[in-house]
């Protein structure tokens, strides 16, 4: 059966844009068929050379009790091969993963021995170059060599009079720790033209970076991201505040400038982590919960802090810290804002995001956050419940009160007696009088 593909799949296959495919069709270079809904479809066989020989699919389970799983694997592999119209054979095998006694797999390996002497065909997009190279001219490879600093190509015989036997160029500055390009191992080089110049991209498995940050028990940097700023604090091994600060964020920037601003903020945090030789602690990446909590404070905040900006910040932060050997720890941020506002905002004279960052850092160090004694008498919390439930109960009472409406109100609260037996009816009456 001849498989039909969409215009987007064909554009990806040919490494061109969708508009180019449409133009080729108008010029008569391509033929398409139309579906009942009027959509373009193209025959895959018109663009992909038919496979020569038979496709071998391999399915295996460990015991006779898994016969249903073996049948399911057989059906999936058969359906995949049939979708491309291939001539195929499914080899079913039964063997434990603890040894190499797999008769069917051994038979398959023996049947594939002839592929070692068969030519390999590869599809190269127009205008691109892919090269198989080596570190030196070993194993008969004389096409391309890269010694870690310089990339050298052997020039074809017909062009030696013009360019010489080889052409070479220094490629990249890979000595920096951030690139982590290993001397050995497989690398895929991609050459393409852009703005009249050759651009080289390389894909590789980075070598591991030596850990530079200490264990979390020796101190942490906690961060809390909010619209307009990122609050950070450094906590010593006893859980005491030693340093604090804020990184300003300008909201409403275009995508490119916002990306640059996020990277700059991540670099500042990486510099602080390097200075204190400690890991960085952040909230667990639950963007919907973060936006929901901001929406409770103000719809304006929820719009300002988009899910893209929030996720992009932590993605960039994780990449930058890992490239420098700094550990990034994610913790549950439950009630971190409330705990910071009640316990640490007035104690240390912090901003709201700095107080939440302090709680996040202490939580990573496994330090407890019990409700202060001067509050337990007023809030009537149940001491037999978990600490999280106590803070939940206190958070509800504070939310029902009319004394604390903004973060700055926590600075002026000296007597928490307004929390005594505050029920929903009293809270509603108080709010009407405000």
């Amino acid at each position: 059966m001849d498989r039909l593909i969409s215009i987007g799949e064909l554009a990806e296959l040919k490494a061109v844009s969708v508009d180019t495919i449409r133009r080729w069709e108008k010029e008569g270079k391509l033929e398409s068929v139309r579906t009942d809904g009027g959509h373009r479809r193209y025959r895959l066989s018109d663009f992909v050379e038919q496979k020569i020989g038979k496709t071998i699919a391999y399915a295996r389970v460990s015991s006779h009790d898994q016969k249903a799983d073996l049948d399911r694997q057989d059906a999936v592999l058969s359906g995949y091969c049939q979708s491309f119209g291939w001539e195929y054979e499914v080899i079913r095998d039964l063997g434990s993963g603890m040894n190499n006694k797999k008769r069917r797999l051994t038979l398959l390996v023996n049947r594939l021995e002839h592929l070692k002497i068969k030519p390999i065909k590869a599809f190269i997009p127009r205008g691109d170059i892919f090269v198989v190279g080596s570190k030196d001219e070993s194993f008969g490879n004389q096409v391309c060599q890269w010694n870690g600093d310089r990339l050298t190509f052997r020039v074809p015989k017909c062009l030696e009079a013009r360019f010489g036997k080889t052409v070479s160029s220094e490629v990249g500055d890979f000595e920096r720790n951030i690139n982590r390009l290993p001397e050995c191992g497989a690398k895929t080089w991609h050459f393409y033209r852009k703005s009249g110049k050759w651009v080289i991209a390389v894909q590789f498995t980075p070598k591991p970076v030596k850990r530079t940050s200490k264990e979390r028990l020796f101190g942490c940097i906690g961060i809390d991201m909010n619209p307009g700023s990122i609050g950070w604090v450094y906590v010593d091994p006893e859980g005491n505040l030693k340093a604090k600060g804020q990184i300003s964020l300008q909201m409403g920037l275009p995508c490119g400038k916002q990306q640059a601003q996020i990277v700059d903020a991540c670099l500042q945090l990486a510099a602080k982590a390097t200075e204190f030789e400690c890991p960085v602690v952040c909230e667990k990446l639950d963007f919907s919960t973060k936006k929901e909590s901001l929406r409770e404070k103000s719809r304006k905040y929820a719009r300002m802090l988009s899910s893209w900006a929030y996720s992009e910040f932590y993605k960039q932060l994780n990449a930058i810290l890992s490239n420098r050997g700094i550990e990034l720890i994610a913790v549950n941020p439950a009630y971190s804002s409330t705990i910071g506002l009640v316990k640490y905002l007035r104690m240390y004279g912090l901003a709201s995001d700095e107080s939440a960052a302090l709680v996040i850092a202490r939580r990573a160090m496994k330090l407890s956050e019990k409700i202060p004694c001067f509050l337990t008498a007023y809030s009537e919390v149940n001491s037999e419940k978990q600490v999280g439930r106590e803070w939940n109960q206190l958070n509800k009472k504070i939310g029902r009160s009319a004394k604390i409406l903004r973060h700055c109100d926590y600075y002026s609260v000296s007597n928490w007696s307004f929390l005594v037996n505050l029920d929903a009816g009293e809270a509603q009456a108080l709010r009407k009088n405000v």
Side-chain angles (χ1 to χ4, degrees), residues 47-66:
F47 307 99
V48 178
E49 185 177 354
Q50 294 297 316
K51 297 178 66 66
I52 300 176
K54 181 184 295 185
T55 298
I56 304 297
Y58 181 71
R60 183 191 68 85
V61 293
S62 301
S63 64
H64 292 281
D65 298 335
Q66 297 175 311

Side-chain angles (χ1 to χ4, degrees), residues 180-312:
R180 299 154 56 188
L181 185 67
E183 295 182 1
C184 302
K187 305 175 187 67
T188 301
W189 300 87
H190 183 198
F191 303 84
Y192 60 95
R193 297 279 291 181
K194 183 178 181 181
S195 302
K197 297 181 180 180
W198 279 102
V199 180
I200 304 176
V202 58
Q203 184 177 3
F204 58 92
T205 301
K207 57 184 178 182
V209 175
K210 183 179 179 181
R211 179 66 58 83
T212 60
S213 59
K214 298 178 181 179
E215 293 294 332
R216 66 179 73 183
L217 297 180
F218 294 98
C220 292
I221 289 180
I223 61 173
D224 182 68
M225 183 179 181
N226 286 288
S229 66
I230 300 173
W232 67 270
V233 299
Y234 170 63
V235 178
D236 66 5
E238 285 74 30
N240 301 317
L241 176 68
K242 290 300 181 181
K244 63 183 179 68
Q246 287 181 305
I247 301 175
S248 299
L249 295 177
Q250 185 177 354
M251 309 306 294
L253 294 177
C255 182
K257 292 185 178 180
Q258 188 178 29
Q259 177 81 7
Q261 180 179 234
I262 289 174
V263 172
D264 181 68
C266 295
L267 291 174
Q268 293 185 49
L269 292 174
K272 292 296 180 182
T274 303
E275 176 184 353
F276 296 113
E277 298 181 350
C278 65
V280 176
V281 186
C282 66
E283 307 169 75
K284 284 187 178 179
L285 310 183
D286 188 353
F287 312 129
S288 58
T289 304
K290 181 70 174 180
K291 292 193 70 178
E292 186 66 27
S293 64
L294 290 175
R295 188 177 293 111
E296 294 175 358
K297 299 177 182 178
S298 170
R299 291 184 178 180
K300 176 183 177 182
Y301 278 170
R303 290 194 302 267
M304 289 171 64
L305 186 61
S306 65
S307 60
W308 178 88
Y310 194 69
S311 61
E312 183 67 19

